[in-house]
Amino acid sequence: MTACLAEHLRHVGGPGFDVEDLEAPRRNVLVFHGVGGIGKSTLSRTIEASLQGGEHRPAQWASPVLPVERTLPVRIDLARAAGMDFERVVLTLRLAVAAFGRPMPAFDLALRRYWERNHPGEPIEEHLRRGGLLSRFSSAAALPDQMQSALADVAQALLLPGTVGTALGQGVGVLVTALRERRRSVRALAGCARLADLLEAEPDVEALSFYPHLLAWDLARLPPDKRVVPVVLLDTFEDTGDRTHRDVERLLQRIVWLMPNAFFVVTGRNRLQWAEPSLEGQLDWTGPDAWPGLAPDTASTGPGGQVLIGDFSPEDCEDYLARRLRRGGQPLIEAPIRRTIAERSHGLPLHLDLSVMRYLELRRRGRQPLVTDFDHAFPALIARTLGDLTAEERHVLRSVSLLSSFSVPLATQAAGMPQDAPALRLTERPIIRESDSGVWPFHVHDLVRDAIRHADDGSDDRWSDRDWQRAARRAFDALGAEWREDRRRDRALLVGCLRQGLLLARDFGLGLDWLADAAFRYVDDSISEPLTLPAAGGEAAEGMRTAADALVETLGAIARRQHEHRERTAARLSAVLESGLLPGDLVELAAYYLAKAQRDLGLSESSRRGMRRVAETGGRLASSARRGLAHLSRLSGDFPAAVEAAGRLGWEGRHHRVLGDVWWVQGDMDRAAAAYRAGRDEAEEHGAAGEKAMVQAHLAFATAFTDPAGADAELVLAEALLAPLSLRSSEMTARIGLLVRDAGSDADLPGRAAVLRTEIDVSGISYAAAKLQLALCFHHAVLDDPAGLAPCLAHLRDLTHGDYAYYVEVAHHMAGLPLPGGTVRARWIDGEERTRERWRELVLARRRHLRTG
């Protein structure tokens, strides 16, 4: 504010400034806009006080360096309750200038003609007294004398009988003719090119709106030692009209344009649209060329501009509440209540003030306020929010309050509107926030959204429960249409539609409809980013009441399985299946991921039964279930069966990854790497980011056995692909690959393994623990360390009583040790002896590498 004002004062004090130039762009307006109750009027009053005297300026405000000695703050409250019409605005400007005791001859001449025509027989001083302006301006009583003095001087200079007032009463023609012929003899009016034209115009409100040009001219003619720059503070600008009826706004814009030597500070709920060319015809001056500082996406290089006033930070909220009410130097409102109010307010000062009033009211009733007394929304917030919106805008606002974020097309569909115009107008309101980080750019201010959804709405056009139900259905269908029409298969859009659609279906009892297809798309690429849905806890089926509840819990369990112990995942999915709420096509979704969790927990038989049921249904996850059965064959050591099954899987069953998982266990790392690379290329071809990252992690792990140097690049790529995803088990595989790469060369490798083992235990991924132990056995085999190898083998045997028992065989092959009696033998592809040779050669090759390295 101070910087903009200082720049404006330098501009108007410069040699090139011309007050009569009506073509130059205007930078003399600064706008502060924001939601109701944010403190805009307080800001306006503070600016007025600080300009009246430096002692009233807040300590954090810089003192402006003003090249002109004096500024004249003039605050005008445009609120309907203040009764401020356009005529009173013009009179207020003139009364503020009257404080300097000098006539404004050009303006006063035109004002006198206007007054005689529109207020015949009514003295101006009587009108000012009755309207309360005399009491506001101590200099108001001097205005009639200043006007009379100016008129007498003009009459004398023009050699007119009596006063100009007499001429005005008899007809303006004589006065205008005299002015045109002998203007130079009237020194006070010499050079005022537009005065005669304005006097000839019909003296109505339209003409009155041009008279500020004369006032600006009069101010510019003051001697340098008397010069004053008005700072006009127009508060509550939203009450001048709406975005359709701009009659008063057009008149006020004229004042701003015609007084380029004045600086205007506008405060209101909405930003000014004057820089938008689309308003041509509704306003006199529009477009970014006319108002460069007001253009939404144009950097201003001078004074002026638009500033959105934001919300309080949580710390500011608590500080305000602590200072607002005090007793004996201590905050009256207790700390827990202050925290609750601050959290509930979302930074909105109006909510803080309403909460303080509620606190005082409860104490007046004779009881101590409790934290629970402040966990609600205030109806007054709705009144303040909806007060200046059109009926169509209110309808759109209520509709989009059902959504956490939205676009203009989505808002239009959710509201059932035939045009985008109401939604476009709504997005310009300060209660709507804009962000580039999400799928949809707009969202309703959190507190306003909560108030509209949950507070008592006493407005005339309030919605019934059926209205909300219909709006929820429209929003739900609009989200489904947007997802189905997405040809880019945007993952972020899918998750956004799922998140909002699931909440609508759950909260309003809607059928699942398109959510079923979206749910399968969500799990299709093995990426399970959390949906952050406020699900029903998932402790048991009793928390679920509808199919939407069950689907929310199913997807929540799938998403969280990378971050929770697999036992927790299995319990949640079992509860969903026991509830019987999911429709048939979604039962296989919960059943398949339950079987996966059981496999990770080492419950192979239960997993095999679940996978077989899903495969036999022939549904959308049948190929995945057949892959699961192939994995189970591999886990049991039946490698020929796994290879045979992989031949029938195809891309849908991720056949290359299944083959790679078989070949590396045989010690055939080259063949495994080739399979993984083929799987990675196929995943890239299908745009499957999750599968690509997963296969890359396995490729890095296999490469680490044969080529430690080359594994670096594969591990870096795996880390990069996994970073934006949430694939916990693949992250474990890549980290075990790091240990394999360093086997034999890092003395601290067992310590690193211990840290990773703790993380694996927390996740409940049993096969990762066994794979980690196998990597440790490889390390000790390379070091030819029987003392270190023996406990590793014992621990590995404990981890693989059932599945992965062949890891014990592999560990003995690595170390060149005979298999102990009673060892369960796997069905190796090339036979046990050839497999033993390959694993032993990997150990010997690593030793040679370390010696030569």
Side-chain angles (χ1 to χ4, degrees), residues 199-210:
L199 289 175
E200 284 182 313
E202 181 66 23
D204 54 14
V205 172
E206 281 289 312
L208 180 66
S209 67
F210 287 96

Side-chain angles (χ1 to χ4, degrees), residues 376-609:
H376 74 291
F378 292 97
L381 280 170
I382 295 182
R384 290 290 296 271
T385 300
L386 303 181
D388 62 337
L389 302 182
T390 66
E392 288 181 327
E393 290 170 356
R394 290 196 295 272
H395 181 81
V396 176
L397 176 61
R398 289 188 174 100
S399 299
V400 297
S401 71
L402 294 167
L403 302 170
S404 58
S405 59
F406 63 93
S407 62
V408 168
L410 184 60
T412 300
Q413 293 182 57
M417 289 286 186
Q419 301 95 16
D420 286 340
L424 282 168
R425 292 198 302 270
L426 182 66
T427 59
E428 296 164 357
R429 304 288 189 174
I431 57 174
I432 304 300
R433 301 302 169 86
E434 187 172 3
S435 171
D436 296 331
S437 60
V439 178
W440 298 282
F442 303 107
H443 68 275
V444 183
H445 185 285
D446 291 336
L447 181 60
V448 173
R449 180 183 178 219
D450 187 64
I452 291 173
R453 288 286 306 278
H454 302 113
D456 295 331
D457 186 350
S459 58
D460 293 338
D461 59 351
R462 61 186 178 274
W463 278 8
S464 67
D465 290 341
R466 292 182 61 190
D467 290 328
W468 283 107
Q469 188 71 26
R470 285 190 287 264
R473 168 53 67 180
R474 289 194 305 268
F476 181 81
D477 291 342
L479 287 167
E482 184 150 347
W483 171 67
R484 291 186 187 282
E485 292 167 7
D486 175 37
R487 297 292 177 261
R488 298 173 300 135
R489 294 175 65 92
D490 186 345
R491 181 77 185 179
L493 178 65
L494 164 66
V495 173
C497 289
L498 257 179
R499 181 180 291 117
Q500 301 208 80
L502 282 166
L503 290 175
L504 287 169
R506 188 196 66 185
D507 294 346
F508 291 90
L510 306 178
L512 296 183
D513 193 41
W514 59 270
L515 287 174
D517 292 335
F520 279 104
R521 174 76 64 81
Y522 172 74
V523 303
D524 184 52
D525 192 24
S526 303
I527 304 174
S528 299
E529 61 270 73
L531 291 173
T532 60
L533 297 175
E539 294 296 338
E542 63 183 14
M544 295 173 275
R545 295 289 183 268
T546 66
D549 286 328
L551 182 55
V552 166
E553 178 64 2
T554 299
L555 295 181
I558 293 172
R560 290 295 304 168
R561 70 194 177 96
Q562 301 289 357
H563 306 277
E564 295 177 339
H565 197 284
R566 289 300 196 268
E567 288 182 353
R568 169 73 171 152
T569 303
R572 294 177 68 178
L573 293 173
S574 296
V576 169
L577 292 171
E578 291 169 6
S579 73
L581 293 171
L582 283 179
D585 59 338
L586 285 170
V587 167
E588 67 170 312
L589 182 65
Y592 171 72
Y593 279 93
L594 172 59
K596 286 194 69 168
Q598 290 168 334
R599 184 187 71 201
D600 291 344
L601 290 168
L603 304 175
S604 297
E605 284 308 312
S606 296
S607 177
R608 187 173 285 105
R609 286 194 298 270

Side-chain angles (χ1 to χ4, degrees), residues 630 632-643 662 806 826-829:
L632 287 167
S633 295
R634 174 175 59 84
L635 267 57
S636 66
D638 190 352
F639 299 116
V643 171
V662 170
Y806 52 84
R827 295 183 60 210
W828 301 104
I829 300 293

Side-chain angles (χ1 to χ4, degrees), residues 85-336:
D85 58 18
F86 184 72
E87 183 182 278
R88 284 171 62 86
V89 171
V90 176
L91 287 175
T92 299
L93 291 173
R94 178 60 183 91
L95 289 172
V97 174
F100 295 93
R102 300 180 66 92
M104 299 286 124
F107 178 85
D108 290 348
L109 189 59
L111 179 62
R112 178 61 180 265
R113 179 166 187 250
Y114 170 86
W115 200 263
E116 293 291 343
R117 178 66 63 87
N118 293 278
H119 298 271
E122 180 184 12
I124 191 169
E125 56 267 30
E126 179 60 30
H127 181 85
L128 296 177
R129 182 180 296 106
R130 190 170 60 250
L133 292 177
L134 276 180
S135 60
R136 178 182 172 188
F137 294 94
S138 59
S139 58
L143 177 61
D145 293 337
Q146 292 179 17
M147 292 179 63
Q148 190 65 24
S149 173
L151 299 178
D153 291 345
V154 173
Q156 182 178 1
L158 294 176
L159 302 178
L160 294 175
T163 66
V164 175
T166 304
L168 288 171
Q170 295 174 351
V172 78
V174 174
L175 175 61
V176 171
T177 300
L179 275 174
R180 290 191 188 280
E181 292 176 354
R182 301 194 295 278
R183 179 184 295 137
R184 294 187 181 279
S185 64
V186 188
R187 295 177 58 190
L189 299 177
C192 189
R194 297 181 178 88
L195 174 60
D197 294 334
L198 289 175
L199 289 175
E200 284 182 313
E202 181 66 23
D204 54 14
V205 172
E206 281 289 312
L208 180 66
S209 67
F210 287 96
Y211 293 175
H213 170 70
L214 303 177
L215 184 59
W217 186 86
D218 286 325
L219 289 169
R221 298 281 293 180
L222 292 173
D225 61 333
K226 301 291 185 181
R227 192 157 299 166
V228 64
V229 175
V231 179
V232 184
L233 301 128
L234 300 175
D235 191 24
T236 326
F237 200 85
E238 68 272 8
D239 276 8
T240 60
D242 55 39
R243 297 304 174 93
T244 303
H245 303 92
R246 298 179 182 266
D247 296 337
V248 177
E249 184 179 2
R250 179 169 54 86
L251 300 178
L252 292 172
Q253 191 203 52
R254 283 180 187 165
I255 293 179
V256 178
W257 187 272
L258 296 172
M259 297 187 71
N261 51 348
F263 190 72
F264 293 83
V265 180
V266 175
T267 46
R269 296 190 183 184
N270 311 309
R271 68 178 183 86
L272 289 186
Q273 296 179 299
W274 297 353
E276 296 182 11
S278 60
L279 293 184
E280 185 176 356
Q282 297 186 62
L283 300 174
D284 295 337
W285 294 275
T286 58
D289 293 335
W291 305 96
L294 302 182
D297 298 317
T298 303
S300 176
T301 57
Q306 310 215 50
V307 180
L308 175 63
I309 303 177
D311 302 330
F312 283 5
S313 68
E315 295 79 12
D316 288 340
C317 290
E318 289 211 43
D319 182 68
Y320 172 82
L321 293 170
R323 296 172 182 271
R324 183 72 161 76
L325 298 177
R326 300 182 73 82
R327 171 184 288 175
Q330 296 299 316
L332 182 61
I333 304 177
E334 297 81 358

